[in-house]
Amino acid sequence: QVQLVESGGGLVQAGGSLRLSCELSKNVFTIKSVAWHRQVPRKRRELVARINSGSNPDYADSVKGRFTISRDSAKNTVYLQMNALKPEDTAVYYCYEDGFSADDEEFYEYWGQGTQVTVSS
């Protein structure tokens, strides 16, 4: 099964920055949305940032002003720039993509395998 490929996680001190990258699927010709979610143990996965096609990005209140989601179409990659990181940002981060095949016959949804982000105090 196709999974998106993430990179860029790691350990950083509070106040530091990380940039996550996610290589998107070649199966999706028309992207409907791309997003980053995160999950900590025993809690539900939560949306961090999202770009819907044709719309401005939207963010969880907890990351507004600190995180920026962007997409490079030429590289078929989505990024999450995370600044001013806090210990409560510690989580496994997952990228997500959905959209349609070139002939609009197939709708695809893909997740990444997850990348750990740990912010120390």
Side-chain angles (χ1 to χ4, degrees):
Q1 183 173 351
V2 173
Q3 278 192 318
L4 308 180
V5 179
E6 298 145 344
S7 61
L11 173 64
V12 64
Q13 287 189 329
S17 298
L18 283 174
R19 189 176 80 155
L20 305 182
S21 301
C22 176
E23 183 180 338
L24 302 174
S25 169
K26 293 179 174 58
N27 291 341
V28 177
F29 183 79
T30 305
I31 293 176
K32 181 172 174 286
S33 70
V34 292
W36 288 93
H37 293 69
R38 66 187 181 188
Q39 189 170 23
V40 297
R42 296 176 296 282
K43 288 195 173 181
R44 294 180 65 176
R45 192 172 294 187
E46 65 170 355
L47 176 67
V48 175
R50 174 177 54 202
I51 303 176
N52 288 320
S53 179
S55 300
N56 290 327
D58 59 275
Y59 299 91
D61 288 342
S62 59
V63 307
K64 279 181 183 175
R66 300 188 297 122
F67 289 12
T68 302
I69 185 173
S70 62
R71 181 165 73 95
D72 186 329
S73 298
K75 295 182 178 180
N76 204 31
T77 299
V78 63
Y79 302 97
L80 185 68
Q81 177 67 44
M82 304 184 293
N83 299 327
L85 282 159
K86 304 175 181 180
E88 51 264 43
D89 294 318
T90 296
V92 177
Y93 284 71
Y94 298 89
C95 69
Y96 170 86
E97 175 190 22
D98 63 20
F100 296 90
S101 59
D103 60 6
D104 279 344
E105 293 291 322
E106 300 286 339
F107 182 74
Y108 299 107
E109 290 184 280
Y110 295 117
W111 287 92
Q113 80 284 0
T115 186
Q116 177 70 46
V117 171
T118 303
V119 184
S120 62
S121 57

